[in-house]
Amino acid sequence: MQKVVLYSKPNCPLCDEAKDLLIAFQDQYGYDLKEVDIYSDDELLEKYQLTIPVVEIDGQEVDYGQIEWAKLSEFIK
C-alpha cells in the first residue's frame, strides 16, 4: 500500500483543500494517508514554510501549493 504524507499547517485553506481531496480518493485508490503539521518540527518548518501544502508519495515530493488530482494521479497507483 502506498504511503501518502500531507505536510500542512493549521489555518491553511490550501492545506484543508488538499486534505479533503486526498481523503475523497483514499478509499478508491487505497493508500495510507498521514498529515504532518510542519510546526511540529523545526526542520520541516524551515523546509516547507513557503510551499505548503506539500504531498509526498512513497518518499517522493510530487506536488505543492494548490494540489491537483490530475497531477497526483500520475503517482498514485
Side-chain angles (χ1 to χ4, degrees):
M1 184 172 283
Q2 287 184 303
K3 303 224 181 277
V4 177
V5 178
L6 172 63
Y7 294 99
S8 65
K9 70 176 185 177
N11 302 315
C12 169
L14 285 177
C15 299
D16 293 340
E17 288 177 22
K19 183 177 179 180
D20 291 345
L21 179 69
L22 290 167
I23 288 171
F25 287 101
Q26 190 173 19
D27 286 339
Q28 182 179 354
Y29 290 93
Y31 48 82
D32 287 330
L33 176 60
K34 179 180 179 183
E35 184 175 11
V36 177
D37 181 348
I38 63 169
Y39 287 121
S40 67
D41 182 304
D42 289 339
E43 288 181 31
L44 292 176
L45 180 59
E46 185 176 331
K47 183 176 182 179
Y48 295 126
Q49 65 183 332
L50 299 177
T51 58
I52 60 153
V54 175
V55 175
E56 178 183 280
I57 300 174
D58 291 336
Q60 178 183 358
E61 293 174 13
V62 297
D63 203 1
Y64 64 91
Q66 184 138 7
I67 305 300
E68 297 179 18
W69 182 252
K71 188 169 183 178
L72 292 181
S73 65
E74 296 174 22
F75 297 93
I76 293 180
K77 298 173 179 81

